[in-house]
Each structure stands twice: as structure tokens, then as C-alpha cells.
Amino acid sequence: LGANIIFMPKPHSIAPGIASGGKQKMQFKKQLLAVAITSLVSSSAWATNGYAPHGVGQKSKGMGGVGVAYTQDTLAGGINPAGMVHQGNSMDLGIELFRPIRKTTISGTPGGFSDGTFDSDGKRHFLVPEFGYNHMINNDMSFGVSVFGTGGMNTTYKGGIPLFNGTGSNVGIDLAQLFVVPTLAYKINENHSVGIGLNLAAQRFQASGLANFAGSSSDAAHLTDNGKDYSYGVGLRLGWMGKVSDTVTLGATYQTKTRMSEFDDYAGLFAEQGDFDIPENYALGIALQATPKLTVAFDIMRINYSGVNSVGNPLANLLSGNPLGSSNGPGFGWEDQTNYKLGIAYDYSDKLTLRAGWNHGDAPIPNSQTMFNILAPATVEDHLTLGASWKLDDGMEVTATYMHAFENKITGPGSVPAGFGGGNADIQMYQDSFGVGFSWDM
């Protein structure tokens, strides 16, 4: 069981709203909104807890990703929709520069035909925008929307990997996911709130350079090099927050599995004829107002990757007669993941808030599954985060964040099956990200 434990949310404290009569400022914000949504649809990224983000919203990301019991902005709908009713009439825009460095080392292949170290340096920098808006229907109810990239995978090995193709063409995959989450939140009473969000999800995927797997596919024409394909689906997100004492707030949230349409152009790659659902997750959180200036938050989240066949099925399924793309075909062999998130926020002054956090989750990739995960080396486990917000005199608040995911290597002795020649595949990665966000009261 996973939980997101965060501490008591302080009242929303974004600087006063933009002055009345500011039609030019309102028009500027509308233009920023249009740019953000356009960018979100076209962006791709590699997330950090498996292929999920370590947090949603720049303030959450600066605190290790906490947000179940301590909501700070209108991206809260992506963590715990019950927190939106505490955000007032407000809007947030953010963007993050994400830099994952991934590498694989292959050894022990027959005659050394595929031995070597391969860097996925085809693309190293990704821009990941986000947007949130909240409107108070009355004192006890709000309607809002949170828009963000919730996960992704990207690798591009220039010049190819002989284990995957014999042509020297690039090898890699690109998966991008986008959530648009309309939320309705309600204060049951002074201390408790609940919320529901509708997960409107879109995915984009393409694969290249996997020609050597054609003989292991149920549909080789829809295995690789078919360009970009798109998938859409709907799920639910539920949440509760409760202030149980003057200093302690608890929270709980649950996201259903999001059933997605199939990637038809890759029906010979992903299990169940191109199916790639988004896994369910659930979390608990606690937030402690340790002093008037210091808040400490802790979350535990469980992501059930194994519940999606194309993600959780092991490579052994291929060896037992289930080809790629078949109903029980192999996936990446990922295990379920529990993430632990710890964050602090300190109000240094009326204008400046400082944040820091730590996020840990054991890598979901077993040693026996590293060969396919050359395409998806989600190896990182520990993340250090820093952040700060500064309130400006014109009613805007600016937030900056930094995240470093420490390098982690997963060795795969014997992970290349004899049917593919045998050998070992080791994968490793580290990551850095820099983000900036802007908040307004409306």
C-alpha cells in the first residue's frame, strides 16, 4: 500500500490580484495560456518515478513532489483534487527544462558483435510546460483545471545498437503523456474537503530501429518505424484532505487506471495489440505546521505498473510463446513502485519562501529485464530538490526549482536471452531539471 503523507496546508498566500482595469495584463495572461497548452501537446519528457513525474507543479517539485496534504497552487488537481478548493481564484503557468543522461553497456554477446557502450544522446533537453486555473463557485466549492505532462520515455541511440538492428539506423522510443484534469472540490466543513477530477489523457508514441525483433512480433508491419501514433483515454482522480489538529493535516488520493485507446501503428510491439494504459496509483500524505514559518510534508505513493501488460509483462512471456503485440506479449517487465517524498517549506520573509525535498523510489526494473529497458532506462531512485518563491509588488509570484536525480546503474547479467545471442545489458541514468513558475490571484 502506498501513501502520500503531507502536512497541513497553509492558507493560499499568492500576492494580491492584478489591479482592476488591467485589461492588458488579462490579455497577456490569455496569450500565455494559449502558448502553454500548445506547448504541452507537442512536448515530450522523461519523468523520474518510473515514468511518472516526481511532483506536479513547480512548488511541489521543489519539495520532493509532496502535495497530498499540502497543496500550494492550481496544479493540485494533478495530485489531490481536494486541495483545489483551498487555492481561491488563481492561475499558474510553469515550464521546466529537463535533462536526462542515459547510457547502456552491452557485453558478452557472441563474438562481441553487439558489445560496447552506447549513449542515448540524440536528444538530451526537453521543455515541459504546465498550467492550472481555479475558480471559486462559492465559499465552499471550486471548479478548476490542471494541465501537465504526467510521464514519458525517450531514448535515441544514434548509429543504432547491433542487438536491435543491423542497419546502423537510430534506435529509440519516444513516449509523451498529457493530462487535462477538470476538478470539482467541496469543503464539507471548516476542516475537511473532498475533490474529484476527470483524467482526460493523451499519449504520443513512436519507435525506431527495432528491426531485429520482427521475427518475435505478432505483426511485424506494426512493430517499428511507423512514425508518431496517438492514444486517448479517460480516468478518475479522487481525493480527501482533513485538518485533524491545529498543526496537522492528512490527505489521501486515488487515481484509477486510465484506459487508453490502442497504438494501432505499434500493434506488433505492445502487448494486447498496441495497448498502453496509464497505471493506477494511490497515496497518503501528512503535513505538519512545525512552526509559524516552517511546514514539513511527507507522502507515500504506490504506482501499480504491473497492472499494465505492456509495462509489467516480463521478457519471459516471449520465450514461452507469446510474441510481441499478442494479448499476453512481453513488456518492459516493470514491478510496482512505492515512492517516498519528504519536503519542507520555510517562510523566510513575507516575500520569500524557501523549499527543499527528497524523493526515493526503488527502480521498477529487475536485473533480468534490462535488455528491453535499454529503450526505457528508468534507473534513478534518489532525487534532491530545491525551490524558492518570491512575491512581486505587481501581484505576481515567481517560483524557481531545481532537481537532481542521482545516477543509478542496474546491471543485467545474462539479461540478453540465448534466443537473441546471449549476453549482459547494463543501464544507467542521471537527471537534472530547472523550472520556473508564475502565479496570480484572479
Side-chain angles (χ1 to χ4, degrees):
L1 175 65
N4 277 2
I5 304 179
I6 304 185
F7 295 61
M8 162 66 191
K10 294 179 290 187
H12 185 65
S13 57
I14 293 177
I18 295 174
S20 61
K23 293 183 179 179
Q24 291 181 339
K25 291 183 178 180
M26 181 60 69
Q27 183 63 29
F28 173 68
K29 287 189 286 185
K30 289 180 179 179
Q31 292 171 350
L32 282 177
L33 169 58
V35 170
I37 292 178
T38 301
S39 300
L40 271 165
V41 171
S42 61
S43 68
S44 74
W46 186 289
T48 60
N49 290 146
Y51 66 84
H54 76 280
V56 179
Q58 292 307 307
K59 293 177 181 178
S60 167
K61 289 181 176 182
M63 294 180 65
V66 297
V68 177
Y70 183 60
T71 58
Q72 303 176 79
D73 56 34
T74 58
L75 275 298
I79 304 177
N80 186 351
M84 292 289 276
V85 75
H86 302 288
Q87 299 309 306
N89 296 311
S90 56
M91 184 175 78
D92 295 271
L93 290 173
I95 192 164
E96 184 176 41
L97 175 64
F98 186 67
R99 184 175 184 265
I101 305 299
R102 47 269 199 244
K103 180 170 64 176
T104 185
T105 300
I106 300 174
S107 62
T109 58
F113 85 97
S114 193
D115 288 4
T117 296
F118 305 89
D119 294 314
S120 176
D121 55 4
K123 187 173 183 180
R124 290 189 172 188
H125 299 91
F126 304 85
L127 288 176
V128 187
E130 61 191 18
F131 164 75
Y133 173 79
N134 195 59
H135 172 71
M136 298 300 297
I137 298 171
N138 55 44
N139 290 335
D140 297 321
M141 184 178 294
S142 69
F143 174 79
V145 63
S146 304
V147 184
F148 53 94
T150 186
M153 305 177 184
N154 180 283
T155 46
T156 304
Y157 296 94
K158 285 187 174 181
I161 298 175
L163 185 63
F164 288 84
N165 67 46
T167 64
S169 61
N170 291 351
V171 168
I173 62 172
D174 184 24
L175 171 70
Q177 295 179 334
L178 169 71
F179 267 142
V180 179
V181 186
T183 61
L184 188 67
Y186 176 69
K187 289 182 182 178
I188 300 173
N189 54 39
E190 186 69 20
N191 295 321
H192 296 271
S193 62
V194 293
I196 184 170
L198 186 65
N199 285 331
L200 306 176
Q203 300 183 127
R204 185 193 67 210
F205 179 79
Q206 65 177 349
S208 58
L210 309 183
N212 284 1
F213 295 100
S216 301
S217 173
S218 62
D219 184 358
H222 296 96
L223 169 70
T224 185
D225 298 288
N226 288 327
K228 296 176 181 177
D229 196 7
Y230 295 86
S231 171
Y232 306 94
V234 179
L236 287 176
R237 193 182 300 262
L238 308 172
W240 162 81
M241 290 179 64
K243 183 177 180 180
V244 297
S245 75
D246 290 341
T247 59
V248 176
T249 296
L250 303 178
T253 183
Y254 173 72
Q255 176 186 308
T256 66
K257 178 191 285 189
T258 304
R259 305 282 182 176
M260 306 297 293
S261 58
E262 285 79 12
F263 286 118
D264 293 329
D265 291 339
Y266 293 95
L269 175 61
F270 289 134
E272 300 178 292
Q273 297 77 51
D275 187 66
F276 202 95
D277 292 337
I278 297 173
E280 70 171 352
N281 66 68
Y282 40 93
L284 299 175
I286 182 171
L288 172 66
Q289 191 74 54
T291 73
K293 290 181 175 288
L294 178 66
T295 302
V296 181
F298 179 65
D299 289 359
I300 305 175
M301 173 175 282
R302 180 75 165 181
I303 305 175
N304 290 334
Y305 287 119
S306 67
V308 178
N309 284 350
S310 52
V311 178
N313 280 2
L315 182 59
N317 285 27
L318 175 63
L319 307 180
S320 61
N322 297 282
L324 288 163
S326 64
S327 295
N328 200 31
F332 292 100
W334 284 20
E335 299 173 339
D336 297 340
Q337 186 182 54
T338 301
N339 298 303
Y340 304 90
K341 309 178 183 185
L342 176 66
I344 60 173
Y346 179 71
D347 292 329
Y348 181 81
S349 68
D350 291 340
K351 289 183 174 292
L352 177 63
T353 299
L354 304 175
R355 300 181 182 88
W358 187 267
N359 178 305
H360 173 82
D362 290 347
I365 303 170
N367 297 80
S368 62
Q369 303 298 311
T370 56
M371 187 185 80
F372 269 3
N373 283 287
I374 291 171
L375 301 171
T379 67
V380 297
E381 297 184 339
D382 294 298
H383 313 70
L384 172 67
T385 69
L386 300 171
S389 292
W390 181 262
K391 296 180 176 67
L392 304 177
D393 292 336
D394 64 357
M396 180 187 294
E397 186 178 35
V398 180
T399 297
T401 62
Y402 168 71
M403 182 276 293
H404 177 71
F406 294 87
E407 186 172 51
N408 187 48
K409 181 178 183 179
I410 299 177
T411 60
S415 58
V416 180
F420 291 94
N424 318 301
D426 301 339
I427 54 178
Q428 62 195 90
M429 178 168 57
Y430 69 89
Q431 305 165 345
D432 292 283
S433 69
F434 304 86
V436 61
F438 304 89
S439 302
W440 297 268
D441 282 346
M442 303 295 290

